[in-house]
Amino acid sequence: MNGKLYIVATPIGNLEDITYRAVRILSEVDYILAEDTRVTGVLLARYEIQTPQKRYDAHASEKTHDMVLEDLAAGKKIALVSDAGTPCISDPGVLLVKKVREAGLSIEAIPGVSAITTAFSIAGIEGNQFIFRGFIPHKKGRETFFKAITEDVEIPHMFYESVHRIEKTLESLAEHLDETRTVTVARELTKMHEEVVQGTPEEVRDHYKNNPTTVRGEFVVIVS
Ligand code: SAM
């Protein structure tokens, strides 16, 4: 029996950003584990994929993990997707992958889009290196986070930010960082309102203050 868990990257906006292989695997597996079945349903409908879905999110229970392990051991092929981009990159799936590895079962990556690599590819930041910091801590650890990026000037820092906190974060960056630093904000990548705003910490903060209608969507922030 050759069961296998496929970790499948899906688009971060534009539904055309998916590989031929991902479409084939999503069509062929026994079922798809999806973070939100409605979100993934839109993608499946676009490619006329009929595969059934089951929910797998950040709150997945022990029972769900056991079910997946049993199905893999019984020879089933299962795909894991998140709402957007690559699963396990600031998204659910890490625990499942860990358990599947520990059980000695097969896992295969079906690579594709991630917001982090997409943003870096159009930021024009030299040096071929970055530190990916995931999401900024909300409360505890927030000050330490800003202190760390203030002190560590060698390698660009990249992180994800949500629409609810982007203004607060840009304000904190303007407070902590001097004008020798560059802040890049990549918003709504691959979508209709994709834009990149780049400047000193104060310039970028002021840009969003002066253009409040653009404080919408999803953001990747780079401090270089
Ligand atoms: N696993 C995903 C990936 O590989 O990109 C990331 C998931 S994380 C829960 C969601 C965050 O990714 C958003 O809050 C935003 O910071 C970033 N993101 C996702 N899609 C984006 C887009 N189209 N444009 C800019 N940032 C995006």
Side-chain angles (χ1 to χ4, degrees):
M1 290 287 198
N2 293 318
K4 194 176 275 187
L5 177 67
Y6 296 93
I7 306 301
V8 182
T10 58
I12 57 168
N14 189 323
L15 291 185
E16 290 182 10
D17 293 332
I18 187 161
T19 67
Y20 290 114
R21 187 162 165 239
V23 171
R24 179 176 61 76
I25 295 292
L26 291 175
S27 310
E28 288 176 1
V29 291
D30 292 291
Y31 60 87
I32 298 166
L33 293 169
E35 190 180 359
D36 183 331
T37 54
R38 286 162 307 178
V39 172
T40 302
V42 175
L43 178 71
L44 299 187
R46 168 74 172 70
Y47 291 97
E48 297 176 3
I49 296 168
Q50 313 281 342
T51 311
Q53 296 189 64
K54 293 184 188 192
R55 195 172 174 114
Y56 182 91
D57 60 19
H59 312 290
S61 63
E62 191 77 35
K63 211 170 123 202
T64 303
H65 287 106
D66 289 346
M67 170 197 78
V68 177
L69 291 177
E70 275 166 31
D71 285 345
L72 290 171
K76 290 212 163 125
K77 309 244 195 271
I78 302 167
L80 173 76
V81 299
S82 60
D83 285 353
T86 303
C88 305
I89 308 293
S90 295
D91 257 345
V94 180
L95 186 57
L96 181 63
V97 169
K98 187 165 179 264
K99 283 178 183 282
V100 171
R101 279 206 177 286
E102 282 166 1
L105 297 159
S106 300
I107 305 177
E108 200 168 314
I110 310 296
V113 188
S114 183
I116 207 73
T117 48
T118 306
F120 197 71
S121 74
I122 55 168
I125 293 169
E126 290 175 283
N128 286 322
Q129 292 184 64
F130 62 81
I131 299 169
F132 175 48
R133 295 185 157 276
F135 282 99
I136 305 182
H138 290 191
K139 292 192 183 99
K140 197 168 162 278
R142 206 176 150 82
E143 275 306 302
T144 319
F145 174 90
F146 287 113
K147 201 162 173 279
I149 61 172
T150 305
E151 284 166 7
D152 187 354
V153 295
E154 294 300 321
I155 299 177
H157 300 262
M158 295 189 71
F159 50 90
Y160 288 153
E161 191 51 285
S162 80
V163 67
H164 311 294
R165 280 183 302 276
I166 187 74
E167 287 171 292
K168 199 174 156 213
T169 292
L170 293 176
E171 190 63 58
S172 299
L173 290 176
E175 269 169 31
H176 284 81
L177 306 175
D178 65 37
E179 63 190 22
T180 64
R181 307 294 286 276
T182 299
V183 172
T184 305
V185 176
R187 181 175 80 89
E188 292 292 81
L189 292 163
T190 79
K191 301 183 198 176
M192 194 192 290
H193 298 292
E194 171 173 320
E195 71 169 9
V196 174
V197 175
Q198 197 166 53
T200 66
E202 285 190 0
E203 282 168 351
V204 175
R205 177 202 57 195
D206 292 347
H207 171 89
Y208 282 100
K209 262 191 184 164
N210 298 333
N211 297 277
T213 55
T214 65
V215 185
R216 284 210 184 127
E218 304 192 273
F219 302 81
V220 178
V221 181
I222 312 175
V223 175
S224 53

